C-alpha cells in the first residue's frame, strides 16, 4: 500500500469511529476524532461534515456552518442540504 492510501484509510477509520461516537451522542469525543481525520487528510469532506454535525449538536452553530461550508466546497452534497437548512434556523449566539 502507498503512503497516500494508508493516510486515506486512516482518515476513513477516524470517520467511522466518529460516526460511531455520534450514534452514542458522544459529540465532544467525536469532534476530536474528526479533527484527527483532518490532520491526516486535510481536505476530507466527510470529516468536515461529521465534525459539523457534532458542533451543531453541541450548539456551536457558526462553527458547524463553517464545517458544512467546507464540506460543501469539497463536493459533499449532504452538507449542502444541511447548510441551507441551518442558515434558515441558526441563531447568532455561537461558542
Amino acid at each position: 500500500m502507498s503512503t497516500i492510501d494508508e493516510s486515506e484509510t486512516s482518515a476513513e477509520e477516524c470517520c467511522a469511529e466518529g460516526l460511531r461516537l455520534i450514534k452514542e451522542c458522544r459529540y465532544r469525543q467525536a469532534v476530536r476524532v474528526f479533527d484527527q481525520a483532518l490532520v491526516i487528510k486535510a481536505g476530507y469532506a466527510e470529516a468536515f461534515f461529521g465534525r459539523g454535525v457534532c458542533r451543531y449538536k453541541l450548539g456551536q452553530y457558526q462553527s458547524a456552518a463553517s464545517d458544512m461550508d467546507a464540506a460543501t466546497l469539497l463536493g459533499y452534497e449532504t452538507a449542502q442540504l444541511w447548510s441551507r437548512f441551518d442558515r434558515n434556523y441558526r441563531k447568532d449566539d455561537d461558542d
Side-chain angles (χ1 to χ4, degrees):
M1 215 189 270
S2 73
T3 305
I4 294 171
D5 290 339
E6 288 174 47
S7 293
E8 288 178 22
T9 300
S10 296
E12 289 172 358
E13 289 173 353
C14 287
C15 278
E17 175 66 8
L19 292 174
R20 185 186 67 74
L21 291 167
I22 288 173
K23 288 179 184 176
E24 296 175 1
C25 300
R26 296 167 59 190
Y27 305 116
R28 288 189 198 327
Q29 292 156 318
V31 166
R32 288 192 294 270
V33 172
F34 289 119
D35 286 342
Q36 290 175 340
L38 290 166
V39 167
I40 296 166
K41 187 175 176 184
Y44 195 27
E46 290 182 47
F48 278 111
F49 179 76
R51 189 173 71 179
V53 169
C54 293
R55 287 177 166 172
Y56 187 86
K57 292 287 195 173
L58 292 167
Q60 300 170 354
Y61 302 114
Q62 290 178 342
S63 297
S66 294
D67 282 342
M68 293 300 175
D69 288 344
T72 298
L73 289 171
L74 293 165
Y76 199 74
E77 292 183 21
T78 304
Q80 292 173 352
L81 299 172
W82 187 286
S83 289
R84 287 182 197 148
F85 173 80
D86 181 56
R87 278 190 183 42
N88 290 325
Y89 298 100
R90 185 181 343 138
K91 296 177 184 176
D92 290 331
D93 55 345
D94 188 17
D95 301 344

